[in-house]
């Protein structure tokens, strides 16, 4: 309930994870405004100010598959040929991770990117990986 704005993941990234970053990294991260669907059957969007964030489906893919859509701009990085949408582990393996977008019209799921780079969605109670973004 409440989408990204009310999620435990948002709090965890912006409080716990941010505090773990070295001071010199914290000092150059700029808070940004992120617009995200309210989630569930609600049609509205909510804006949050975040230092660390998960990418929306639109920011990653340039369109919607499962989300309500219109949650930011398509990042230039992901417009290039051959760029993997999946997160990468240090050993080179790909993994899947959560996105910021709630699934449109459903109150218990968020979008994610699969290890092969495809858009998908899953129940928000699942315990899986994240690859967060930030702006400097």
């Amino acid at each position: 309930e409440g989408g990204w704005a009310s999620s435990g993941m948002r709090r965890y990234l912006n409080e716990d994870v941010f505090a773990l970053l070295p001071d010199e990294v914290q000092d150059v991260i700029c808070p940004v405004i992120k617009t995200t669907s309210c989630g569930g059957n609600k049609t509205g969007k909510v804006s949050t100010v975040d230092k660390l964030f998960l990418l929306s489906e639109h920011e990653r893919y340039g369109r919607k598959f499962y989300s309500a859509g219109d949650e930011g701009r398509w990042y230039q990085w992901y417009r290039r040929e051959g760029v993997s949408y999946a997160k990468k582990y240090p050993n080179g393996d790909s993994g899947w991770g959560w996105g910021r977008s709630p699934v449109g019209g459903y109150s218990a799921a968020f979008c994610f990117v699969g290890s092969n780079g495809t858009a998908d969605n899953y129940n928000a109670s699942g315990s899986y990986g994240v690859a967060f973004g930030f702006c400097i």
Side-chain angles (χ1 to χ4, degrees), residues 45-117:
K45 303 272 193 299
V46 64
S47 294
T48 56
V49 177
D50 297 306
K51 295 173 270 187
L52 306 180
F53 54 88
L54 300 182
L55 272 65
S56 72
E57 194 176 57
H58 192 98
E59 289 169 339
R60 182 175 279 125
Y61 296 103
R63 61 184 183 268
K64 71 175 193 156
F65 294 96
Y66 301 99
S67 70
D70 196 27
E71 296 176 321
R73 333 177 300 236
W74 189 13
Y75 280 111
Q76 190 69 32
W77 175 263
Y78 292 105
R79 295 180 189 200
R80 302 176 329 160
E81 287 291 323
V83 171
S84 175
Y85 297 122
K87 73 177 183 197
K88 295 286 186 183
Y89 291 102
N91 67 2
D93 290 345
S94 296
W96 79 273
W98 288 114
R100 182 176 86 242
S101 302
V103 172
Y106 187 64
S107 62
F110 276 79
C111 297
F112 74 84
V113 58
S115 61
N116 61 357

Side-chain angles (χ1 to χ4, degrees), residues 6 68 90 107 131-132:
S6 300
S107 62
F132 59 86

